[in-house]
């Protein structure tokens, strides 16, 4: 599956979500709006680290559902999605059903090795390191 997260693909995206969710709807991604919100969050996190020209190739994974108290003993059905950043935007690459317990609702940005190096380089330009004082653990 490779669907651009765009309103013109709304029907296909909703169909893919429906196919994995079955009847579950409370803690799942069920609408195009849900996936569009995930793509917006992915873009925000990515562009906080890198310029748009360096964005293609990044991957963003997200699991639906929010946290519930630890005393909640029943499993819930959630939706897992994997988006990949292309040159024209975010693409829905994979959708799956997963069981979630007290957790859920987490998101992770994955960078390529080149993107990681670029992000670290950009970040390290924002500060200077104080030389270690004689006798400090770092200087020893």
């Amino acid at each position: 599956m490779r669907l651009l997260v765009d309103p013109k693909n709304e029907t296909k995206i909703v169909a893919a979500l429906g196919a994995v969710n079955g009847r579950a709807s409370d803690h799942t991604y069920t609408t195009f709006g849900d996936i569009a919100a995930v793509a917006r969050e992915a873009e925000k996190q990515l562009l906080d680290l890198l310029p748009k020209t360096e964005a293609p190739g990044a991957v963003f994974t997200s699991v639906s559902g929010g946290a519930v108290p630890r005393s909640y003993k029943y499993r819930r059905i959630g939706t897992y999605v994997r988006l990949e950043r292309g040159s024209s935007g975010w693409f829905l690459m994979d959708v799956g059903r997963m069981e979630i317990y007290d957790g859920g609702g987490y998101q992770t940005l994955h960078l390529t090795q080149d993107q990681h190096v670029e992000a670290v380089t950009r970040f390290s330009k924002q500060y200077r390191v104080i030389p270690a004082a004689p006798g400090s653990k770092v200087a020893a």
Side-chain angles (χ1 to χ4, degrees):
M1 163 186 320
R2 182 174 165 87
L3 296 170
L4 179 64
V5 179
D6 185 272
K8 66 184 173 193
N9 290 325
E10 179 174 0
T11 305
K12 292 177 185 175
I13 290 172
V14 170
L17 293 171
V20 298
N21 290 333
R23 293 183 1 209
S25 62
D26 287 347
H27 305 283
T28 59
Y29 295 134
T30 57
T31 67
F32 171 76
D34 293 338
I35 302 305
V38 171
R40 283 191 301 276
E41 179 60 24
E43 188 77 351
K44 178 190 174 304
Q45 287 187 28
L46 183 59
L47 294 184
D48 282 349
L49 299 172
L50 297 168
K52 205 172 209 170
T53 57
E54 301 286 331
V59 171
F60 194 77
T61 58
S62 182
V63 175
S64 65
V68 294
R70 286 197 174 275
S71 60
Y72 188 83
K73 60 183 178 180
Y74 303 103
R75 67 181 174 86
R76 300 172 290 150
I77 300 300
T79 310
Y80 162 85
V81 295
R82 184 172 63 87
L83 304 178
E84 185 175 318
R85 183 62 161 81
S87 58
S88 60
W90 287 94
F91 289 83
L92 180 62
M93 303 299 287
D94 190 23
V95 178
R97 176 184 178 119
M98 65 184 299
E99 293 182 1
I100 52 178
Y101 293 88
D102 59 336
Y106 61 88
Q107 300 174 328
T108 308
L109 176 64
H110 307 266
L111 301 177
T112 65
Q113 188 63 39
D114 290 342
Q115 289 170 329
H116 164 70
V117 170
E118 179 67 21
V120 169
T121 301
R122 288 174 169 275
F123 178 71
S124 65
K125 288 180 181 179
Q126 298 176 29
Y127 62 88
R128 298 288 180 256
V129 177
I130 300 169
S136 73
K137 291 180 182 180
V138 176

